[in-house]
């Protein structure tokens, strides 16, 4: 009916349906009904035909019946009184000898969603629970849930609930699964169906009979079951092992989720389960359905957070195919970045380089930022690629490269020169504000070394009137100020113009910032310099290679949920945070970290005394017993880099405020000593991290190898099991420092060779910095300075830890040499 | 738990809508379509949210198949269900084109009614469903004389009838029951390869994903035995014997497959249900038994007049009797390329796609052991040496009929008991490219 309006259509249809000659011919009647449904699914409002359709319902033709039911379920709510007529027909059908007709009638009766008609519906539904045909029982069981949900205020019908519980033993697996679903809905307020031991075991035993969908349902309900003993738990796990490697991704995912919740207390078992699903998940990543591939990729990313090494050998599976849609390509690149190691870095970068010129700008930019992330550990090669890309002179690429360089430049200061060279060649006008902001930031920081910086800046300042992005204007102000401090002669004039313009700006934040800078300049150039040229706390501390391994429990609840697939995942959050670092300066950063270490008071702690004040049982701390109690290290709870920095600085400030006199009350212990480990500073960060993790020490931040001073920050938790089962745990934060000086030898001699230890007094350390600086160029014996902070203090744990650490370092260096 | 299911055409027309729980509004289609059209890119993300409603969609034949759900559901289950639903609809209606969906909406409603009740998936097995589905499929294809040409005189097998027409397996399964359709069974071995060849010609990556699919048009078939190559081995550990051993890394089977004869004789036993099902899936990575089917020898130069000359020699290393069809090579070119002049071997054609910034070189038929060459000359204003970075990597797509790269073969196909009346068994092999990239 392409030429008829919807009203004409309805009129026309009504005439056909009411025509007695049509009604007497089953085929024509069915066709008329079919046309109604077609109109309905095309969005025409055919609710006016309700009474005609009710009549059409009384037929022996099952196809016509089904069609009419589609119509009725759609419009019943609009015609409650006419629906009563249908209910009669339906109730009659419920007595039909054909089980198919019975189930059809029952299903549609419960689908009418009319609370007023419930009294007529209830009886057939309850009767349907005892029908001899499984297909009727399936419908009846869900019918109970539908009825319940239509009457939100009525109490739960205990008889029905009991009936449903008994139907869990129904021979038909779909009836069983439907019972679970219905009970979940009816008992929602009590927390869903009660899973006790017999029910759980019954469900587990019948899992094999269910189809894929039933298995998923059962597996998700079983997550609420708590096995009573470890033995039972392992019985269940071995029963589920086959589903864990199922070729159906839904079953595999549901099983893994159940595994993770059952084994939340057994990390080793969880890890084994993750390794087991690697195969099926990888197979899902190669599925024909790209949506399924996407889901599998998102979930692999979760797994990688806890097991970074899981896919080491399979990185080639994540190369992008050219037919992959952009959203899959981006996920694949994120996975690839996680899988970088020394062996594959060249292959990966070569592959990523190919994506940088992708037609899709999002893909190209994602590839560039992926290279930037790899650049945190392999900066040489990445910067080479990035600078190469700049010569393409394409806007979206240049913009992405600049943003990446900004992020990279602040964490790898040793590559500043390359960045400066690249900046010199970068002259084109960028249209997106992110790119312009990055360019300005880079100019502000490296402007000293880029000869053309004032000219580039002048172009920006001349165009400030047409600038729309407030972010760019703010950045422009800061850049102009910074450049002015370095090159006043060239920039004074344009800074004046810019301030003049911005002070009359309507945007509050820009005006305020301009005024602030203006007043700052009034205060004098030195003041300005102290405010603007503040360094971040420690430029080297930003180098984070590999996030610390997350415990599985962090993400287990997200596994197999829609949230994992949605875009606002943790990755985007972290990139946001990263880029904001460059705009805001940390107020706590004024004293650089390397300076703060100098006023440290390193205590001479008498053995046992310090910890005795805190330990409930001082005798447990006697030297003898400490040998008997083994020390265990663990990584949980994890300490984030921010927490680490806070704790490290906080402990320092505590010292400097309180001084030495009340150190007894301090809850921490500091220790400094020298470990001879010739080749450790040349170790690759990866191998160092791997070695540390073997003994449960988490490394947080590194400087790249061969740089001076070379630093590593690390932490761990110690657990001493005390005699009366009172676990005593402490947190140790540590710094390894190698500054390449030779004048530490005398201390080394004093403390014996290599692993000997030396608990220093604070006074000895005062002039450390000067000595270090003077000897900076002198390359002597490689002695690594270990600074440890422990809270609460426990000298034996600390000493034991130190022995472990020394062993690790020496093992590492012996491997290198 | 599924709240609603709807199907939208690529242009946003409603093809089908069913509300199972009545908890979400009925304007979801327009909300979804707005979200889809608001986003750039070739496909919006699979999961989208609007208030507390989640939209999960997959795409089949251009249309959007969408599920809405309020509760936290398993993405794997919903996506897999939508794929299974599409497969069912394809079995019942013959194809997934928008036209076919529109013509068969009554059948699809009927299917949906049986498959999902109150938002819970009841069954997707075609064996169960065939008892419930009453509506006949309306086939969008008119009767064609061409179909008759396959039947020889007095039922004798002609040369033509040894090859099933490609459309043979895209008909509704139900027509076999009543319209006296042929009782046929198709066993397809489909392999998808993804290959990366480095700029120095070294094979960087080669993955093959394969599957054996059975499409059954037989009303009743008690058991089928599929014999694979006897030298078929799984995993790396097994020793390779003499001759053409076939090896895959991993392999998984449909639940319905019985494997009691698999270890000894490499025979899969199953009772196929009507419609299409995947019997076996397997993967092989990095260790192809034969050389990659295509190699490219490019020479790219900048001439003095600022033009870019690309001389490409494409060589097909298939055995001489085989051939690749529908070969298409996509060669990305620098941004701003204006004109293209070409010298090609006579059978192929090429054109420049401005939108995707690439030359598409098409070769309809490419015999094994031969090579073709092409010379493209591009005018690129402002060509610099950096622009060469933008050339490549070349992406190839092609189809290898009657060939599997792993070498997997079906030795025999037996039905028991022997079918009464004429029944036809077809075995087809094809290898597609998932992604075949050659770096320059």
């Amino acid at each position: 009916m392409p030429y008829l309006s919807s009203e004409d259509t309805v009129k026309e249809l009504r005439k056909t349906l009411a025509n007695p000659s049509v009604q007497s011919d089953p085929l024509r009647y069915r066709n008329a009904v079919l046309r109604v449904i077609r109109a309905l699914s095309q969005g025409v409002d055919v609710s006016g035909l309700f009474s005609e359709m009710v009549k059409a319902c009384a037929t022996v033709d099952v196809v016509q019946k089904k069609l009419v039911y589609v119509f009725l379920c759609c419009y019943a709510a609009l015609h409650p009184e006419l629906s009563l007529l249908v209910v009669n027909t339906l109730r009659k059908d419920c007595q039909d000898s054909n089980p198919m007709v019975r189930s059809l009638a029952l299903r549609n009766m419960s689908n009418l969603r009319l609370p007023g008609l419930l009294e007529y519906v209830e009886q057939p539904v309850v009767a349907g629970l005892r029908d001899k045909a499984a297909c009727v029982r399936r419908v009846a069981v869900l019918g109970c849930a539908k009825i319940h949900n239509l009457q939100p205020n009525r109490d739960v019908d205990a008889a029905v609930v009991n009936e449903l519980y008994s139907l869990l033993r129904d021979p038909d697996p779909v009836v069983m699964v439907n019972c679970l679903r219905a009970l979940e809905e009816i008992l929602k307020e009590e927390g869903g169906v009660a899973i006790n031991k017999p029910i759980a075991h019954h469900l587990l035993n019948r899992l094999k009979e269910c189809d894929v969908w039933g298995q998923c349902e059962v597996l998700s309900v079983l997550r609420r079951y708590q096995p009573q003993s470890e033995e039972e738990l392992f019985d269940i796990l071995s029963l589920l092992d086959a589903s864990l490697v199922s070729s159906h991704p839904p079953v595999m995912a549901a099983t893994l989720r159940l595994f993770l919740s059952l084994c939340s207390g057994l990390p080793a078992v969880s890890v084994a389960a993750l390794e087991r699903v690697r195969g099926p998940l990888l197979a899902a990543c190669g599925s024909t359905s790209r949506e399924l591939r996407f889901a599998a990729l998102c979930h692999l990313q979760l797994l990688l957070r806890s097991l970074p090494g899981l896919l080491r050998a399979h990185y080639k599976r994540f190369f992008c195919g050219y037919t992959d849609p952009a959203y899959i390509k981006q996920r694949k690149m994120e996975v690839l970045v996680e899988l970088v190691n020394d062996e594959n870095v060249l292959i990966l970068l070569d592959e990523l380089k190919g994506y940088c010129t992708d037609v899709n700008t999002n893909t190209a930019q994602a590839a560039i930022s992926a290279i930037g992330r790899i650049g945190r550990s392999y900066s040489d090669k990445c910067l080479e690629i990035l600078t190469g890309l700049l010569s393409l002179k394409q806007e979206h690429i240049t913009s992405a490269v600049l943003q990446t360089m900004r992020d990279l430049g602040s964490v790898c200061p040793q590559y500043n020169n390359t960045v400066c060279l690249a900046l010199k060649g970068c002259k084109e006008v960028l249209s997106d504000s992110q790119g312009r902001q990055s360019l300005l930031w880079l100019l502000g920081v490296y402007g000293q070394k880029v000869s053309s910086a004032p000219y580039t800046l002048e172009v920006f300042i001349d165009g400030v009137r047409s600038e729309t992005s407030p972010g760019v204007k703010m950045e422009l102000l800061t850049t102009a100020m910074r450049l002015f401090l370095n090159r006043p002669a060239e920039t004074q004039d344009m800074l004046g113009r810019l301030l003049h313009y911005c002070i009359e700006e309507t945007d509050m934040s820009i005006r305020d910032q301009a005024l602030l800078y203006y007043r700052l300049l009034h205060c004098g150039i030195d003041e300005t310099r102290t405010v603007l040229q503040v360094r971040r706390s420690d430029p080297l501390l930003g180098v984070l290679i590999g996030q610390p391994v997350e415990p599985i429990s962090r993400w287990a609840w997200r596994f197999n949920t829609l949230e994992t697939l949605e875009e606002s995942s943790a990755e985007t959050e972290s990139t946001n945070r990263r880029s904001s670092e460059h705009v805001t300066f940390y107020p706590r950063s004024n004293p650089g970290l390397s300076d703060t270490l100098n006023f440290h008071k390193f205590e001479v702690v008498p053995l046992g005394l310090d910890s005795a004040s805190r330990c409930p049982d001082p005798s447990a701390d006697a030297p003898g017993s400490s040998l008997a109690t083994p020390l265990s290290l663990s990584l949980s709870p994890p300490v984030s880099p921010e927490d680490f920095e806070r704790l490290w600085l906080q402990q320092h400030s505590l010292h400097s405020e309180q001084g030495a006199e009340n150190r007894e009350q301090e809850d921490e212990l500091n220790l400094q000593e020298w470990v001879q480990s010739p080749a450790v500073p040349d170790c690759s960060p990866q191998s160092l991290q791997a070695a540390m993790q073997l003994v449960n020490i988490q490394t947080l931040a590194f400087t790249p190898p061969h740089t001076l001073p070379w630093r590593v920050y690390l932490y761990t938790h110690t657990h001493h099991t005390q005699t009366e089962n009172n676990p005593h745990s402490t947190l140790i934060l540590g710094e390894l420092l190698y500054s390449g000086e030779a004048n530490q030898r005398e201390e080394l001699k004093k403390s014996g060779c290599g692993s000997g230890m030396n608990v220093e007094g604070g006074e000895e350390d005062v002039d450390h910095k000067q000595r270090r600086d003077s000897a900076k160029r002198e390359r002597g014996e490689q002695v690594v300075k270990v600074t440890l902070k422990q809270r609460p203090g426990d000298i034996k744990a600390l000493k034991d830890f130190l022995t472990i650490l020394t062993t690790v370092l020496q093992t590492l260096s012996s491997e290198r040499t | 738990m599924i709240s609603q299911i709807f199907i939208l055409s690529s242009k946003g027309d409603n093809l089908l809508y069913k509300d199972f729980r009545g908890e979400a509004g009925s304007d979801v289609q327009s909300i979804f379509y707005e979200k889809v059209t608001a986003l750039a890119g070739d496909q919006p993300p699979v999961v989208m949210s609007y208030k507390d409603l989640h939209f999960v969609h997959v795409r089949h034949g251009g249309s959007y198949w969408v599920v809405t759900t309020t509760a936290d559901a398993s993405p794997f289950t919903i996506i897999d269900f939508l794929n299974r639903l599409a497969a069912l609809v394809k079995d019942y209606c013959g194809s997934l084109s928008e036209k076919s969906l529109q013509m068969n909406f009554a059948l699809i409603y009927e299917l949906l009614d049986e498959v999902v009740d109150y938002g819970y998936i009841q069954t997707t097995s075609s064996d169960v469903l065939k008892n419930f589905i009453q509506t006949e499929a309306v086939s969008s294809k008119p009767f064609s004389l061409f179909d008759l040409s396959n039947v020889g005189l007095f039922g004798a097998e002609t040369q033509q009838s040894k090859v099933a027409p490609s459309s043979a397996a895209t008909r509704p399964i139900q027509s076999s029951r009543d319209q006296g359709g042929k009782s046929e069974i198709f066993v397809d071995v489909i392999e998808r390869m993804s290959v990366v060849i480095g700029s120095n010609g070294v094979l960087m990556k080669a993955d093959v994903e394969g599957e054996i699919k059975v499409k059954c048009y037989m009303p009743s078939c008690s058991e089928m035995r599929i014999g694979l190559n006897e030298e078929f081995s799984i995993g790396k550990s097994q020793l390779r014997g003499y001759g053409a051993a076939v090896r895959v890394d991993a392999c998984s089977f449909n639940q319905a497959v019985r494997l009691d004869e698999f270890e000894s004789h490499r025979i899969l036993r199953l009772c196929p249900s009507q419609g299409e099902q995947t019997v076996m899936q397997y993967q092989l990575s990095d260790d192809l038994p034969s050389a990659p089917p295509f190699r490219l020898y490019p020479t790219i130069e900048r001439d003095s007049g600022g033009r870019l000359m690309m001389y490409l020699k494409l060589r097909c290393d298939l055995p001489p009797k085989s051939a690749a069809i529908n070969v298409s090579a996509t060669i990305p070119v620098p941004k701003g390329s204006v004109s293209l002049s070409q010298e090609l071997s006579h059978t192929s054609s090429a054109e420049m796609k401005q939108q995707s910034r690439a030359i598409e070189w098409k070769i309809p038929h490419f015999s094994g052991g031969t090579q073709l060459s092409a010379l493209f000359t591009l005018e690129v204003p402002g060509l610099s040496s950096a622009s060469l970075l933008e050339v490549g990597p070349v992406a190839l797509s092609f189809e290898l009929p009657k060939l599997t790269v792993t070498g997997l073969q079906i030795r025999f196909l037996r039905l028991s008991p022997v079918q009464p009346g004429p029944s036809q068994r077809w075995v087809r092999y094809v290898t597609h490219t998932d992604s075949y990239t050659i770096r320059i």
Side-chain angles (χ1 to χ4, degrees), chain A residues 380-397:
Chain A
D380 289 338
K381 295 150 200 150
C382 294
L383 275 172
E384 192 184 307
I385 294 177
L386 290 174
T387 39
L389 285 169
L390 278 180
S391 60
L392 278 175
K393 306 220 178 296
Q394 284 188 27
E395 221 178 275
H396 68 275
I397 293 181

Side-chain angles (χ1 to χ4, degrees), chain A residues 66 185 316 322 351 394, chain B residues 110 120 204 390 396 439:
Chain A
K66 286 186 176 177
E185 299 229 3
K316 283 183 183 170
Y322 59 87
E351 183 70 23
Q394 284 188 27
Chain B
E110 197 181 353
Y120 295 110
M204 312 271 295
E390 285 186 90
L396 235 57
R439 297 218 196 100

Side-chain angles (χ1 to χ4, degrees), chain A residues 607-621:
Chain A
L607 275 181
L609 188 140
D610 220 36
S611 46
S613 57
R614 286 173 297 278
C615 282
D617 182 8
S619 67
D621 270 304

Side-chain angles (χ1 to χ4, degrees), chain A residues 585-798:
Chain A
F585 288 86
Y586 292 100
R588 65 167 152 36
S589 58
N590 288 14
L593 190 63
S594 49
D595 301 327
T596 65
L597 292 179
N598 295 316
F599 353 106
H600 254 288
K601 305 272 184 259
F602 289 95
E603 301 166 59
V604 184
V605 185
L607 275 181
L609 188 140
D610 220 36
S611 46
S613 57
R614 286 173 297 278
C615 282
D617 182 8
S619 67
D621 270 304
S625 68
S626 79
L627 289 171
T629 52
L631 176 82
S632 67
L633 301 180
S634 82
L635 297 180
S636 60
V639 176
S640 71
E642 291 79 17
D643 288 342
F644 183 94
E645 199 171 345
R646 187 177 51 78
L647 284 170
W648 188 264
L649 292 170
Q650 179 191 352
Q651 297 194 346
H652 144 69
S653 62
L654 254 160
H655 273 271
S656 57
E657 279 163 25
Q658 296 176 340
E661 62 271 18
N662 46 3
R663 66 178 168 218
E664 291 84 22
Q665 290 153 21
E666 285 168 24
D667 216 13
E668 63 176 75
L669 208 55
N670 291 296
L671 183 73
Q672 204 177 31
E673 74 130 348
W674 311 96
V675 177
Q676 188 183 30
S677 45
V680 167
D682 302 331
C683 267
S684 81
Q686 278 79 10
S687 55
L688 186 61
Q689 188 169 18
M692 291 292 185
Q693 275 173 357
L694 271 182
V695 291
N696 273 348
I697 300 173
Q698 178 66 51
T699 38
L700 265 182
F702 294 94
T703 50
H706 311 297
T707 45
L708 291 176
W710 176 87
R711 278 166 209 268
V712 173
Y713 290 94
L714 46 85
Y715 76 85
T716 189
H717 297 270
T718 63
H719 296 284
H720 251 298
T721 317
Q722 303 281 340
T723 36
E724 76 272 30
N725 284 336
N726 183 10
H728 184 92
S729 63
T730 67
L731 169 68
I732 297 181
L733 309 178
E735 180 202 45
L736 308 183
L737 174 75
Y738 168 69
S739 42
E741 69 264 46
N743 58 350
Q744 292 168 359
R745 262 176 254 148
E746 60 271 31
E747 275 155 328
L748 194 73
K749 276 179 216 138
K750 196 170 73 188
S751 62
C753 205
S755 67
M757 81 180 260
N758 172 23
V759 182
E760 276 184 73
E763 299 75 27
E764 287 178 46
D765 201 49
V766 177
D767 58 341
H768 221 79
K769 167 105 189 222
Q770 288 87 324
R771 280 193 280 154
R772 208 160 56 196
D773 287 343
S774 64
K776 200 139 199 165
R777 300 276 168 270
E778 204 180 324
R779 193 164 176 92
E781 233 178 313
Q782 294 197 339
V783 182
V784 174
K785 181 175 126 186
V786 180
T787 312
L788 297 176
K789 302 187 175 193
Q790 186 189 35
R791 103 174 355 189
D794 177 355
I795 186 66
K796 271 178 300 302
L798 195 59

Side-chain angles (χ1 to χ4, degrees), chain A residues 350-455:
Chain A
D350 211 24
E351 183 70 23
L352 284 170
K353 198 172 122 189
Y355 309 150
C356 292
T357 50
D358 199 283
V359 187
N360 185 318
T361 45
N362 288 338
T363 309
Q365 293 184 330
I368 292 168
S369 83
I371 291 180
R373 275 165 64 195
I374 295 177
R376 286 159 182 249
S377 17
Y378 300 95
S379 25
D380 289 338
K381 295 150 200 150
C382 294
L383 275 172
E384 192 184 307
I385 294 177
L386 290 174
T387 39
L389 285 169
L390 278 180
S391 60
L392 278 175
K393 306 220 178 296
Q394 284 188 27
E395 221 178 275
H396 68 275
I397 293 181
T398 311
S399 159
V401 169
L402 286 176
Q403 287 175 50
T404 309
M405 281 189 167
R406 176 190 64 186
D407 294 355
L408 205 56
S410 59
V411 287
C412 305
Q414 68 273 29
Y415 294 103
N416 287 350
N417 290 334
T418 327
V419 176
C420 292
L421 275 177
L423 275 178
K424 268 177 206 163
C426 174
K427 288 191 185 70
E428 62 256 77
V429 184
L430 295 166
S431 67
D432 78 317
S433 59
Q434 275 293 321
R436 274 178 304 190
Q437 241 168 304
S438 317
L439 178 59
L440 286 171
W441 189 88
L442 288 168
L443 282 177
V445 176
Y446 304 119
Q448 240 172 318
K449 299 177 204 152
V450 184
S451 56
S452 63
Y455 304 101

